[in-house]
Amino acid sequence: MGIARKWVFPIIRILIFVVIAGALVKIAFFGDTQPVSDAASPTGEIVEPQVPVTIGTIQNDVTLQGTVAADDAIEIKATLAGQVRKVMVSQGQYVDAGTEILTLRADVANPDGTSYVDYETVVAPTAGVLSSFTALVDQTFAVGDDVGKVAPPTFHVSGPIAPEQQYRLLNQPSEAQVTITGGPAPFSCTGLTIAAPVAGADAGASPGSPTVRCAVPAGVTVFAGLSAELTLAGGVATDVLTIPTTAVEGSSQTGNVYFVLPDGTTESRPVTLGINDGINVEVTGGLAEGDMVLQFIPGAAAIVDGPLPGECIDDGLGNTVCG
């Protein structure tokens, strides 16, 4: 035990101190020589997403927000230049189409200088309520003057459509499916028209969006001011070539895609297009099934031009577009 205390323990302590000193020297003068990566230097590779041309079905429905309104009153025109001799109705009265409104009397000159008396009875052009009628006996009218107005008991639904949405309705439908908020079951609204503001028609009016309008069928109870949703069917294409709308420059009739070549490079290729649903577009020429194209046009924002499946968005015009 005396030998261990005198020789062994001191030697062990000296060895420990030597190991510690050597480790400190290595740390101080021979640090880790592995290269340190530069955080400012890129180490990854950006790969532009690609999508294949696939077979699918596109249902081109355009959904708009609209309002129920009463049809405009129809003017009752004088058909003879003369004086009122007899009035048969009064304002606020309901009349049927063809109801006699008033009788006009005129002295008509013959070519030989003689004259004769002519009478003309003005009738209601449609059924409805006389919303405006102030004609009096002995009052004089010229041909084409308004003698009153008839407000028909009919309604229509109308709403704005974005100009670019009309590309999806190149084959304009003749009716729309209408859903009234808090109203009856959805119904077909017929006689659909799309009217665009005519330049110069009203010098004081500001340009607006085109308007979709269709007639509410008889027998459907509605009231002016109700909110409505119009669904316009622009067609259905089944078993056709499709690609995302984000992959195409252009969205109607013609466009360009970036075709992926076998070596991984791309080239711009023209394509012809059919209908689209705001997410996918039909390709009618220029590509084949399985061809690869860039999912997003180079330089364009990588966003989907429309709602995702099951999602609804506002197009900025008060219209809701659903995927």
Side-chain angles (χ1 to χ4, degrees):
M1 188 66 182
I3 295 175
R5 289 180 179 177
K6 185 176 181 180
W7 299 103
V8 177
F9 292 157
I11 291 174
I12 292 174
R13 284 196 291 269
I14 292 173
L15 291 175
I16 292 173
F17 292 146
V18 169
V19 171
I20 294 174
L24 293 175
V25 170
K26 184 178 184 303
I27 293 173
F29 300 102
F30 305 97
D32 190 356
T33 59
Q34 293 183 357
V36 178
S37 62
D38 184 359
S41 300
T43 58
E45 181 181 358
I46 298 176
V47 178
E48 294 183 286
Q50 304 172 4
V51 291
V53 179
T54 58
I55 299 293
T57 297
I58 295 180
Q59 183 168 348
N60 182 22
D61 287 345
V62 177
T63 301
L64 309 173
Q65 298 302 314
T67 305
V68 176
D71 287 342
D72 296 335
I74 298 174
E75 297 171 342
I76 306 171
K77 300 289 188 180
T79 55
L80 180 69
Q83 284 186 327
V84 177
R85 303 305 296 166
K86 184 178 181 180
V87 175
M88 296 85 154
V89 294
S90 59
Q91 183 169 331
Q93 178 181 336
Y94 181 87
V95 295
D96 293 316
T99 297
E100 295 183 348
I101 302 298
L102 54 77
T103 300
L104 293 169
R105 177 190 181 280
D107 293 322
V108 182
N110 290 314
D112 61 1
T114 61
S115 64
Y116 67 95
V117 177
D118 190 16
Y119 290 91
E120 187 79 29
T121 299
V122 179
V123 299
T126 188
V129 175
L130 284 171
S131 58
S132 173
F133 186 76
T134 58
L136 301 172
V137 174
D138 293 334
Q139 186 175 353
T140 301
F141 289 99
V143 174
D145 284 350
D146 294 338
V147 302
K149 293 182 179 179
V150 179
T154 53
F155 295 84
H156 65 271
V157 180
S158 63
I161 179 172
E164 59 272 15
Q165 285 183 303
Q166 294 184 79
Y167 279 120
R168 295 174 57 186
L169 298 173
L170 293 180
N171 297 321
Q172 181 178 317
S174 59
E175 62 182 37
Q177 191 74 6
V178 174
T179 302
I180 302 292
T181 303
F187 57 88
S188 293
C189 191
T190 58
L192 186 142
T193 60
I194 299 178
V198 179
D202 187 349
S206 58
S209 297
T211 301
V212 173
R213 173 173 170 160
C214 59
V216 176
V220 177
T221 301
V222 294
F223 303 97
L226 287 171
S227 298
E229 182 180 85
L230 297 90
T231 301
L232 284 63
V236 178
T238 58
D239 297 329
V240 295
L241 298 176
T242 66
I243 56 175
T245 55
T246 56
V248 190
E249 289 178 319
S251 59
S252 177
Q253 299 182 314
T254 60
N256 296 311
V257 299
Y258 283 82
F259 182 81
V260 180
L261 298 170
D263 62 0
T265 60
T266 61
E267 67 176 14
S268 178
R269 283 194 179 181
V271 293
T272 54
L273 306 173
I275 65 175
N276 77 79
D277 58 8
I279 300 175
N280 296 306
V281 60
E282 175 191 5
V283 179
T284 58
L287 294 173
E289 182 182 4
D291 286 346
M292 298 297 294
V293 297
L294 294 185
Q295 184 178 2
F296 303 103
I297 298 301
I303 59 173
V304 176
D305 185 18
L308 296 174
E311 179 187 18
C312 293
I313 63 173
D314 188 340
D315 68 356
L317 292 173
N319 302 321
T320 302
V321 181
C322 297

